[in-house]
Amino acid sequence: MINQRYSKLVLVFFAFGLLVAGAFSTGWRYLNTPLNIPSEGFVFTIPPGAPLAQVTSALFGEGVLQKPAWLRAYARIQGTATRIQAGEYQISIDATPRTLLMHLVAGQVRLYQFTMIEGQRFEEALENLRAHPAIVASELSKQNIMAEIGKLNLHWEGQFMPDTYSFPKGTSDLKILLLAHQALEKRLGSMWQDRMPGLILKNAYEALTLASIIEKETAMASERARIAGVFHRRLEQGMLLQSDPTVIYGIGASFDGNLRRTDLNRDTPHNTYTRAGLPPTPIALVGEAALAAALNPSSGAELYFVATGFPDGSHRFSVTLEEHDQAISEYLKELGTKTGP
């Protein structure tokens, strides 16, 4: 009798073990089976303080998650049920319930991107940033922005590093601007320390200002250091820089795209035709290549350059004023062949 009862008990435990093992196998298979996600992915948002039960129920309602109770049970076993983080998430088509939970606990929210472009005015970059759908835009003025990042007495132009910045939905414009300013300060400081010896530039701010002019003068990588050399020699010899982009910056929003002789003669703080030396502030956002050129100018004797009028945007460089006048004449001739009678 005892042996029979023992045998029955063994069979019961064995059957129970098989049942548990089967349930575990089924559950584990489910946890590692891809979710029902459309080909373009699925985006959803977890509000602050939302419990896992609310999240799994919502995903079940969307048809994404088939067995929400199983995922909740797994999360409780893992000790992660109360550790999911709020934010916007994008679920890829290969996601499983288990990897989904891992992402929610790690806070791997969906990231957006915004690119600041070399040569843009800060005002234009700020407008584009505030128009980004994932950014929470403030109404701070440019001066108040500088105050908020701890640089009240610093002019805003050129103070933000052109780059692509990644961020979650709901990020403030001020946070991106702070990151961009810190990136600019770090890179500018490092490059200033490694500058070519004997430059006429007095400090890193002057280097940034000159680099902004170089940025606006050419988009050709092969010309940047050469143009920088021209400007350095003109500064050393006390010549006016005579840079058209500085004049345009001084005109501001009223510039209509056509630079006239009267504009060159109209005095503004940024007009390098009427005022000697560098302008008081940068005139655009500055990329690393333009900074490198300003701090490592090409050697030579060239003091002038003018556009060739060719489609590549190149310039012709001259040592003497006579050569420069001839280059201007050829540029006007090239321009005339394009416009026609």
Side-chain angles (χ1 to χ4, degrees), residues 117-121 124 157 209-220 224 227 231 243-246 248-249 282-287 290 305 313 315:
I117 303 171
E118 297 95 334
Q120 280 189 331
R121 289 190 180 195
E124 182 181 359
E157 197 65 77
T209 301
L210 178 58
S212 73
I213 300 174
I214 297 167
E215 191 74 75
K216 296 297 290 184
E217 286 283 7
T218 184
M220 294 188 69
R224 290 192 185 101
I227 285 177
F231 286 139
S243 169
D244 291 357
T246 66
I248 294 170
Y249 186 86
I283 62 171
L285 298 178
V286 180
F305 63 88
H315 293 80

Side-chain angles (χ1 to χ4, degrees), residues 1 10 14 69 79 90 92 97 136 157 160 164 249 272 299 335:
M1 282 298 283
V10 169
F14 181 71
Q90 182 166 18
S92 61
V136 176
E157 197 65 77
F160 304 89
T164 297
Y249 186 86
T272 55
S299 59
L335 202 62

Side-chain angles (χ1 to χ4, degrees), residues 282-299:
I283 62 171
L285 298 178
V286 180
E288 189 170 322
L291 272 174
L295 293 168
N296 298 276
S298 294
S299 59

Side-chain angles (χ1 to χ4, degrees), residues 41-294:
F42 180 76
V43 177
F44 73 102
T45 301
I46 299 179
L52 180 61
Q54 177 182 328
V55 174
T56 55
S57 294
L59 292 175
F60 175 75
E62 293 285 349
V64 171
L65 189 65
Q66 300 304 315
K67 296 179 174 65
W70 289 29
L71 182 58
R72 292 196 294 269
Y74 175 71
R76 285 194 292 270
I77 294 171
Q78 291 286 98
T80 56
T82 60
R83 288 166 47 194
I84 63 170
Q85 300 186 44
E88 184 185 50
Y89 292 85
Q90 182 166 18
I91 312 176
S92 61
I93 58 174
D94 59 347
T96 66
R98 190 169 66 89
T99 60
L100 169 63
L101 181 63
M102 291 169 60
H103 288 150
L104 301 186
V105 172
Q108 295 178 350
V109 296
R110 182 186 188 186
L111 294 179
Y112 292 82
Q113 292 186 328
F114 174 76
T115 301
M116 288 189 178
I117 303 171
E118 297 95 334
Q120 280 189 331
R121 289 190 180 195
F122 173 62
E123 187 171 339
E124 182 181 359
L126 179 61
E127 182 179 349
N128 292 340
L129 175 63
R130 287 177 168 171
H132 195 290
I135 284 289
V136 176
S138 69
E139 295 183 357
L140 292 171
S141 67
K142 294 187 288 290
Q143 186 173 7
N144 285 339
I145 287 172
M146 299 309 294
E148 287 292 327
I149 65 176
K151 300 296 173 64
L152 175 60
N153 297 320
L154 186 63
H155 194 273
W156 49 84
E157 197 65 77
Q159 290 302 317
F160 304 89
M161 192 74 196
D163 203 347
T164 297
Y165 297 90
S166 299
F167 53 92
K169 187 175 184 179
T171 299
S172 70
D173 53 2
L174 190 61
K175 184 172 183 179
I176 300 299
L177 294 172
L178 178 59
L179 289 173
H181 176 66
Q182 291 173 338
L184 185 280
E185 281 195 320
K186 182 178 180 180
R187 195 72 193 105
L188 177 60
S190 173
M191 295 179 73
W192 175 252
Q193 292 300 318
D194 295 334
R195 68 190 182 279
M196 180 185 293
L199 297 182
I200 192 172
L201 302 173
K202 299 182 183 69
N203 51 52
Y205 191 77
E206 286 195 351
L208 183 67
T209 301
L210 178 58
S212 73
I213 300 174
I214 297 167
E215 191 74 75
K216 296 297 290 184
E217 286 283 7
T218 184
M220 294 188 69
S222 60
E223 288 189 346
R224 290 192 185 101
R226 201 172 178 185
I227 285 177
V230 170
F231 286 139
H232 273 273
R233 286 185 286 277
R234 292 179 78 94
L235 288 171
E236 290 165 353
Q237 297 180 31
M239 298 175 66
L240 295 172
L241 292 184
Q242 295 184 320
S243 169
D244 291 357
T246 66
V247 178
I248 294 170
Y249 186 86
I251 295 173
S254 63
F255 179 63
D256 62 3
N258 184 20
L259 192 63
R260 304 171 178 83
R261 176 63 61 180
T262 54
D263 296 322
L264 301 181
N265 295 329
R266 187 199 316 174
D267 184 51
T268 72
H270 285 82
N271 189 337
T272 55
Y273 279 82
T274 61
R275 300 199 183 193
L278 292 164
T281 73
I283 62 171
L285 298 178
V286 180
E288 189 170 322
L291 272 174

Side-chain angles (χ1 to χ4, degrees), residues 275-337:
R275 300 199 183 193
L278 292 164
T281 73
I283 62 171
L285 298 178
V286 180
E288 189 170 322
L291 272 174
L295 293 168
N296 298 276
S298 294
S299 59
E302 297 159 340
L303 291 171
Y304 307 90
F305 63 88
V306 67
T308 61
F310 299 155
D312 62 0
S314 60
H315 293 80
R316 179 172 171 180
F317 295 80
S318 304
V319 174
T320 67
L321 182 58
E322 291 75 18
E323 292 174 349
H324 182 56
D325 288 340
Q326 178 62 32
I328 292 175
S329 176
E330 293 179 7
Y331 165 69
L332 293 175
K333 186 183 299 182
E334 177 68 23
L335 202 62
T337 62

